[in-house]
Amino acid sequence: METPNVFGTEGNMDKLEGYYFSALFSGCFLLSSVLFSKVTREQRDPYMDEIFHIPQAQQYCQGRFHQGKHRVTKRGPALSNPIFTLVTSEDIAESASHTPIQRCQREISDQNKVLIIPQRPTISQQGPDRWSLSRITISWDPMITTLPGLYLTSVGIVKPAAWLFGWSGSVVCSSGMLRFINLLFSLGNLYMFYLILCRIHTKVPASRRILCTLTLYLFPTLYFFTFLYYTDPGSTFFVLFTYIMCLYGNHKSAALLGFCALCFRQTNIIWIAFCAGNIIAEKVMEAWRTQLKKNDEKPSSKKSSLETVEAFKFLLHYLLSPQNVLTLVLLTWPYILLVLCFLGFMVVNGGIVVGDRSNHEACLHFPQLFYFFSFTLVFSFPIFTSIHKITAFVKSVCRHPLLYGSLACISVFLIWRFTYVHQYLLADNRHYPFYVWKNIFQRHELVKYALVPGYLFAGWSFVDALKNKSALWLLMFFVCVLFATVPQKLMEFRYFILPYLLFRLNTSIPSTRKLLLELALYVIVNIVTFYLFLNKAFHWPDSEETQRFMW
């Protein structure tokens, strides 16, 4: 008698989907725990931005949330050799606008250009600012630019665990314990990926959904920060949690989770607006399909420029009706309320950043959109790049030469007029963008213009991958990506994590072969990334601290 093959049919796979996902979840936890142990042993001390995040979380862990004061003041740390100049002001609005000025301690010459290396402080040199308003003083490191969601969540997890297991002393809120919080968030992200894929791609076989879940979990830029105490895993978790609640129609819960996402990173307000836009696009397209059915018309399976124009005409007509607007407001009021509260916060705070504003200034950096399209193309090329796709793009250019010519001219103008180079991009040789900029963009002044055809192909691939979505959804998502990338002066791949993941979650799940190729790409990139981080440490000539390569 032959043994039945449980993998022989997708029907069997679907029945066992829960078991296979449980095995995947356990395997990912085991793999990440082993890697976590290795990273923590090699890099015990806080590294990079952890020198700000970990001491702040440890203050909260010790219960130092506020102290009683009666006036608004700002005091810097008493340092014998301070590396930050702090400005004191009695006026909270004025003092909020002043930020630390970094002293540059190192200059290097490269290709006849002088690059400045800003020296980051060590933990022993760090001291919190204390902002007092009325009777409450909040201790806060001025170099931290995000709200304290990560620290509050960490305390809420670590403190009960310490009481339950009897931990005490240096174990509670140690660097390793705080980093472990992000390992838990990464597992939460794994579950969120799976739930969203199951909700959006209901007709896709279970095997491909699970494989796609694993691939997204190992997405290199996000997976790396699973092992450091950064805001990215927690921020991603709450945004994805907000999105899945939105997809299931639990909009009040989604708005509450969106508030949690804002406490991790203020720019997540964009993805809260994305959830509201998702509802609006779905409602308007539903009304449009109803209108077409009344007129005995059928929507085209392939989007054309004419169909897109008609869709936007219908949108304008739809929004002219007060009854329709009221319906949309009633559907999205939790998100609207949250956005209004956030706007109030920005007015009171005097901007979106709560700490060091000098190095986080908003600007119209339009080439960031091109960098994001290129980033997306690189990490999804096993799925969306092929000879067939390149041929289709060339045919599209031949059919619409005026359109692509205009886009190319606009791109050249935007690159010429709106390219900004942040000092960290030129100076900090620990980050991969430093080498991308140095080895590509700095080779010649014309390189940034020569890349325009590649940007056009990357943008076309981005839109083509989302062809299963409506024109209104595409417009809404593109606007959100625009707001998430363009205002950032610094080219940093971490800023692309959420827009890329939402892009991948909403594209069609490809064949198993392509998913395996994508998974292989991610595994190889992760291996190289962790090998460089763990084994290729280096030292700056004027510093004894160990430096490591990272995203």
Side-chain angles (χ1 to χ4, degrees), residues 113-156:
K113 295 184 178 180
V114 176
L115 305 181
I116 306 300
I117 298 292
Q119 177 65 44
R120 291 180 180 267
T122 60
I123 301 176
S124 61
Q125 293 171 312
Q126 282 297 294
D129 279 358
R130 291 180 172 84
W131 294 87
S132 64
L133 181 61
S134 183
R135 296 179 180 274
I136 298 177
T137 298
I138 301 176
S139 297
W140 194 254
D141 189 318
M143 292 302 293
I144 297 174
T145 60
T146 54
L147 294 171
L150 176 61
Y151 321 128
L152 295 173
T153 305
S154 300
V155 173

Side-chain angles (χ1 to χ4, degrees), residues 304-495:
S304 63
S305 57
L306 181 60
E307 181 191 2
T308 303
V309 170
E310 290 297 324
F312 287 125
K313 284 183 179 179
F314 179 81
L315 174 63
L316 293 175
H317 178 73
Y318 184 87
L319 294 178
L320 289 176
S321 169
Q323 183 63 36
N324 293 334
V325 173
L326 180 61
T327 300
L328 295 178
V329 170
L330 292 175
L331 282 172
T332 59
W333 71 264
Y335 308 101
I336 294 174
L337 180 62
L338 188 56
V339 170
L340 291 175
C341 290
F342 183 77
L343 292 176
F345 157 78
M346 288 185 62
V347 171
V348 173
N349 186 56
I352 193 172
V353 178
V354 296
D356 177 24
R357 301 184 184 183
S358 62
N359 293 308
H360 296 84
E361 299 174 347
C363 62
L364 291 177
H365 193 182
F366 286 105
Q368 283 276 33
L369 188 63
F370 306 145
Y371 307 151
F372 169 69
F373 285 152
S374 303
F375 177 88
T376 300
L377 183 66
V378 168
F379 280 102
S380 62
F381 89 88
I383 298 177
F384 302 117
T385 305
S386 63
I387 298 299
H388 172 73
K389 289 289 184 182
I390 296 174
T391 303
F393 172 69
V394 172
K395 289 181 179 179
S396 179
V397 173
C398 293
R399 285 196 302 268
H400 309 285
L402 183 60
L403 172 64
Y404 286 96
S406 301
L407 290 175
C409 292
I410 293 172
S411 300
V412 168
F413 172 77
L414 293 177
I415 292 170
W416 168 67
R417 184 63 183 85
F418 295 99
T419 294
Y420 295 90
V421 184
H422 198 284
Q423 61 177 347
Y424 286 169
L425 182 61
L426 294 176
D428 200 335
N429 64 345
R430 295 167 292 185
H431 288 290
Y432 296 156
F434 170 88
Y435 298 96
V436 172
W437 192 263
K438 174 185 174 182
N439 295 320
I440 297 178
F441 292 92
Q442 282 191 323
R443 283 193 173 276
H444 195 277
E445 180 66 24
L446 297 179
V447 168
K448 57 186 178 183
Y449 303 109
L451 293 173
V452 167
Y455 295 151
L456 292 180
F457 175 68
W460 177 88
S461 299
F462 182 85
V463 175
D464 184 69
L466 293 168
K467 58 188 175 185
N468 59 316
K469 295 294 183 178
S470 68
L472 293 181
W473 191 96
L474 273 173
L475 174 66
M476 176 270 301
F477 184 55
F478 179 78
V479 170
C480 290
V481 170
L482 200 70
F483 276 94
T485 57
V486 169
Q488 307 285 355
K489 186 176 182 179
L490 176 63
M491 183 179 74
E492 187 166 352
F493 296 145
R494 288 194 301 138
Y495 299 154

Side-chain angles (χ1 to χ4, degrees), residues 74-77 79 82 84-88 98-101 127-129 142:
K74 181 183 178 186
R75 299 193 301 274
L79 302 175
F84 295 111
T85 301
L86 298 179
V87 183
T88 304
H98 291 292
T99 54
I101 303 174
D129 279 358

